[in-house]
Amino acid sequence: MRFLLGLAEAGFFPGIILYLTYWYPSHRRGRMTTWFMTAIALSGVIGGPVSGYILKNFNGMNGWHGWQWLFLLEGIPSIIVGVLVFAMLDDRIANAKWLTKEEQQLLERHVSAEEATKHDMPVRQVLTNGRVLMFSLTYFSFVMGLYGVSFWLPTIIKATGVTDAFMIGLLSAIPFAAAVVAMVLVARSADRKRERRWHIALPAFAGAVGLVLSVVWAHNTVLAMAALTLATMGILTTLPLFWSLPTAILAGTGAAAGIAMINSIGNLAGFLSPYAVGWLKQVTQANDSGMFMLAAFMVLGGLLAVSVPGRMVNK
């Protein structure tokens, strides 16, 4: 089932990242990617309470478990939106009937001018390129943190003493709501200053600190929530801005292959992270070691982001 889920969603995210390069130059793309990825945080704001409500109130209805209703009711909107996207999104600027010819030409000139400075490498070269492999490890590190928080946030909240499923869902929404604000503000700063690396690294380091503090303060719900909020803000802020690094360098077929490879390797963390945290929790009988591991990956990702030469990505 996990494989089939991955197969179903595999093309969507890298497709959107590539799609945005067709419409926005790099000095605006960080903000646009962030607006797109605020959906992750907003889904946490809405999904936490809704999931808690479904699990609590639908369990046993029609002979189904609560998690079965959860999958059904939260899966239907995705199917509907998928159909709408296919029908409503224009492939390129030139296909956008809602733009005048002058507007189309202006926007295409901006994008084309930037594309001329990039390298369109053959697919085989992209897949073995050291820089692309480094980007893959960077993204893997950040996704480790993302999935760790996404999967274990309710468990950590429960460990502080909160037992009601709906209340856990409500509390889970707080870190994601704060993350929306942080994502937008940091992305705006990155685009305004045309600086990428430290706008990625500093939130990554803040996310690591939040993860560590979440287990240090595990027995105090208020302090643990503050730490989890810091962790979620930092982790979610790194993700959209990270994509400004590879898309500032790769073009054409190389961009499609590179983005797909980075996303594929990075999303292996979606499989590894929950299992690694769960295994460490089972072995040590505590959440501490798992959160420390995720914090280490966030620090690694931040250091790798800073290692990219600024002249290559600060456009």
Side-chain angles (χ1 to χ4, degrees):
M1 290 298 293
R2 184 69 182 86
F3 172 80
L4 292 174
L5 175 63
L7 190 67
E9 69 182 10
F12 173 71
F13 186 80
I16 290 293
I17 298 300
L18 181 65
Y19 181 77
L20 292 176
T21 68
Y22 298 158
W23 287 81
Y24 300 101
S26 61
H27 67 272
R28 293 192 63 201
R29 201 178 304 130
R31 200 182 318 171
M32 295 303 109
T33 306
T34 295
W35 277 114
F36 162 64
M37 293 187 69
T38 54
I40 297 174
L42 288 171
S43 68
V45 173
I46 299 169
V50 169
S51 298
Y53 179 83
I54 293 172
L55 288 171
K56 183 177 181 179
N57 293 280
F58 281 72
N59 189 40
M61 187 178 294
N62 199 39
W64 284 18
H65 297 290
W67 65 266
Q68 291 174 300
W69 282 107
L70 186 73
F71 275 49
L72 175 68
L73 297 177
E74 295 190 359
I76 289 173
S78 296
I79 297 171
I80 295 172
V81 172
V83 174
L84 293 176
V85 166
F86 185 78
M88 298 178 66
L89 277 189
D90 297 309
D91 287 333
R92 298 273 187 165
I93 294 171
N95 303 127
K97 296 181 177 61
W98 43 275
L99 292 172
T100 66
K101 284 292 182 184
E102 292 76 16
E103 290 169 337
Q104 288 175 349
Q105 292 169 1
L106 175 64
L107 294 173
E108 286 186 320
R109 279 199 302 272
H110 289 166
V111 174
S112 297
E114 179 190 297
E115 290 296 309
T117 66
K118 299 179 183 179
H119 306 291
D120 187 1
M121 294 183 287
V123 172
R124 182 179 298 178
Q125 186 179 343
V126 168
L127 299 181
T128 58
N129 182 270
R131 186 70 66 187
V132 174
L133 291 173
M134 188 274 288
F135 284 145
S136 300
L137 178 58
T138 307
Y139 190 57
F140 178 91
S141 300
F142 292 152
V143 175
M144 283 290 287
L146 171 66
Y147 274 86
V149 167
S150 299
F151 272 77
W152 293 101
L153 180 62
T155 302
I156 296 171
I157 292 174
K158 186 175 181 179
T160 67
V162 181
T163 56
D164 182 75
F166 183 62
M167 184 57 64
I168 291 173
L170 286 177
L171 290 175
S172 297
I174 295 173
F176 289 104
V180 173
V181 178
M183 291 168 73
V184 172
L185 292 179
V186 174
R188 182 180 299 173
S189 172
D191 278 356
R192 186 177 67 252
K193 297 179 180 178
R194 300 203 179 188
E195 197 288 324
R196 309 295 173 192
R197 301 175 308 151
W198 286 104
H199 281 82
I200 297 169
L202 292 179
F205 299 152
V209 171
L211 288 171
V212 171
L213 292 178
S214 71
V215 293
V216 172
W217 294 334
H219 301 293
N220 185 309
T221 301
V222 175
L223 291 178
M225 283 302 305
L228 288 169
T229 299
L230 175 63
T232 307
M233 290 168 66
I235 292 167
L236 287 177
T237 297
T238 63
L239 292 169
L241 289 177
F242 161 79
W243 287 105
S244 64
L245 302 182
T247 56
I249 298 172
L250 300 171
T253 305
I259 291 170
M261 178 178 171
I262 293 166
N263 185 70
S264 297
I265 293 176
N267 276 333
L268 290 175
F271 176 81
L272 178 62
S273 181
Y275 280 101
V277 174
W279 179 77
L280 287 170
K281 180 184 177 185
Q282 186 176 22
V283 170
T284 63
Q285 298 299 309
N287 291 321
D288 301 29
S289 54
M291 294 301 107
F292 292 154
M293 178 197 68
L294 298 180
F297 272 105
M298 292 304 299
V299 171
L300 173 61
L303 293 175
L304 290 173
V306 173
S307 73
V308 180
R311 58 182 171 76
M312 298 179 67
V313 294
N314 292 336
K315 300 177 182 180

